[in-house]
Amino acid sequence: MDNAYLLIGLSVIMHVAWNLLARHVDSKANYLWWGLLAHCLILGPYSLWQLYENALWHQSLTFAIVITAIANSLYFISLRRAYHYAPVSLVYPLARSSPLLIAIWSLLFFGTDFSGIELIAILVSVAGLWVVASSSGIGDSKRALPWTLAAAVCTSIYSLSDKVAVSYLPGFAEQLGFITIGYTCSFIVLSLLQKRSTGNWVPPIRPPLQYIVLGGCFIGTAYALVVRAMNELPAAHVVSFTNAGIILAVVLSVFVFREREHWKQRILGALVVSSGLLLLFWSGT
C-alpha cells in the first residue's frame, strides 16, 4: 500500500488512538515516556537491524538521522515546557502550524516550487488551527507561546530532514528503524528530564500493560507512515494532511465526549482546517 493519502489516513487513525489512550492514563504516569520505551523495545531491534542491512547508506542519510534525532528531542522538550504554562488544547494546534514553516524553508533552501493555490491552502489550514487553539482561553499563553513556536520550528526541521532521508530508505522496516534512532534519543532526553524533575528515572505510575504495548506500537508506526508518504508528496503537504487528526479530535471531543466549552469555535476551526486540506488535495490532483 503506497498511496500517500491512505498512508497518512492510517497514520492519523493511529495518532488519534494514541491520544485516546492517553486520556485514560494518569498524567503522573508520563505516558509518552512509556510509549517511547515500548516502541524501542518492541519494534526497535528488528527495525534497526533492517536499517543497518538495507538502507542505501550515504552521508546525506547519516546527516538526516542526526538532524532528525536532535530536532525530535528538542521538539519533545519544547512541548513539555509549553504544557507547563498552557493546556494541550492551546499548545498542540499551534505547534502543528509547522506546514507553513516547512513551505517557507522548502522555498528558501530546497528550491521547491509551490503554486499560489498550494500556499493559500496551507495558510488556510494553519489559520484553522489557530482558531481551534484560541478556543482555549486558559493558561499563561505569553510564557507558553515561545516554547510552542520552538516546537513548531523543530517539527519543520525534522520533517524536511525526514524528506531527505526517505529516498535512502527502501522499505517500511528501514523507515521504522530511522524513526527508532530519533525516538531512542528522545527517550533518553525525556528520562533525563524525568530524573531532574522527580528524582527518579521511572515515572511513579505505570499505565496498564495493554496501554503501554498499544501505545508503543502506534507512536512509531504512525510516524513511519508519515515518512513513507513523503516518497510521493512534499513534506509540507504530508504534515498538513496529518493535521486531519486535530479535526477528528475536535469532532470526538464535541460529539462523543460532550466537551461543550467553546464548542462552536472549535467546530469552526475544524471546518476551516478541513477547507484548507480539501483545497490542498485539489491542488495536488
Side-chain angles (χ1 to χ4, degrees), residues 56 58-65 67-68 106 109-110 112 156-169 178 227 230-231 233-235:
L56 307 176
H58 185 274
Q59 62 182 8
S60 296
L61 175 59
T62 304
F63 185 67
I65 288 173
I67 293 298
T68 288
S106 298
F109 302 115
F110 292 90
T112 305
S156 68
I157 292 172
Y158 72 66
S159 295
L160 288 172
S161 180
D162 296 344
K163 176 65 175 177
V164 171
V166 73
S167 60
Y168 301 97
L169 305 171
F178 169 76
V227 172
M230 290 182 184
N231 267 321
L233 295 176

Side-chain angles (χ1 to χ4, degrees), residues 22-283:
R23 291 174 67 99
H24 298 284
V25 174
D26 192 308
S27 60
K28 293 180 181 178
N30 196 352
Y31 188 46
L32 179 60
W33 186 91
W34 291 102
L36 291 177
L37 175 62
H39 168 84
C40 293
L41 293 178
I42 297 171
L43 300 176
Y46 172 75
S47 62
L48 287 174
W49 176 253
Q50 292 298 308
L51 175 69
Y52 174 76
E53 283 288 302
N54 301 321
L56 307 176
W57 287 101
H58 185 274
Q59 62 182 8
S60 296
L61 175 59
T62 304
F63 185 67
I65 288 173
V66 173
I67 293 298
T68 288
I70 294 173
N72 230 312
S73 300
L74 293 176
Y75 166 78
F76 285 125
I77 293 173
S78 301
L79 212 56
R80 183 184 174 99
R81 292 296 301 168
Y83 288 155
H84 278 298
Y85 302 112
V88 175
S89 56
L90 172 66
V91 171
Y92 191 68
L94 292 179
R96 296 299 302 176
S97 299
S98 55
L100 193 57
L101 295 174
I102 295 171
I104 293 172
W105 307 150
S106 298
L107 283 167
L108 292 177
F109 302 115
F110 292 90
T112 305
D113 290 326
F114 291 99
S115 67
I117 296 296
E118 288 176 292
L119 292 175
I120 290 172
I122 292 171
L123 182 58
V124 169
S125 68
V126 168
L129 296 176
W130 296 339
V131 173
V132 172
S134 65
S135 67
S136 176
I138 56 176
D140 189 346
S141 58
K142 288 186 178 180
R143 291 188 178 184
L145 282 176
W147 291 106
T148 304
L149 177 60
V153 171
C154 289
T155 303
S156 68
I157 292 172
Y158 72 66
S159 295
L160 288 172
S161 180
D162 296 344
K163 176 65 175 177
V164 171
V166 73
S167 60
Y168 301 97
L169 305 171
F172 186 71
E174 294 79 56
Q175 293 151 12
L176 200 57
F178 169 76
I179 300 305
T180 298
I181 293 178
Y183 273 5
T184 301
C185 293
S186 297
F187 174 75
I188 293 171
V189 168
L190 287 181
S191 296
L192 292 171
L193 294 176
Q194 171 76 25
K195 176 66 174 177
R196 181 180 178 184
S197 61
T198 68
N200 297 306
W201 291 105
V202 179
I205 298 175
R206 194 194 76 179
L209 181 59
Q210 63 269 29
Y211 283 31
I212 296 175
V213 172
L214 287 173
C217 292
F218 288 159
I219 188 171
T221 305
Y223 185 5
L225 288 168
V226 168
V227 172
R228 188 169 185 82
M230 290 182 184
N231 267 321
E232 295 186 36
L233 295 176
H237 284 226
V238 173
V239 179
S240 293
F241 287 122
T242 61
N243 286 335
I246 292 179
I247 300 171
L248 184 54
V250 168
V251 171
L252 290 174
S253 69
V254 173
F255 296 106
V256 176
F257 299 108
R258 304 292 180 181
E259 297 171 357
R260 297 300 190 184
E261 187 176 4
H262 304 295
W263 71 272
K264 291 182 180 179
Q265 186 172 345
R266 283 185 286 145
I267 290 295
L268 174 62
L271 290 173
V272 174
V273 176
S274 300
S275 63
L277 296 184
L278 287 172
L279 184 60
L280 188 59
F281 177 76
W282 175 79
S283 70

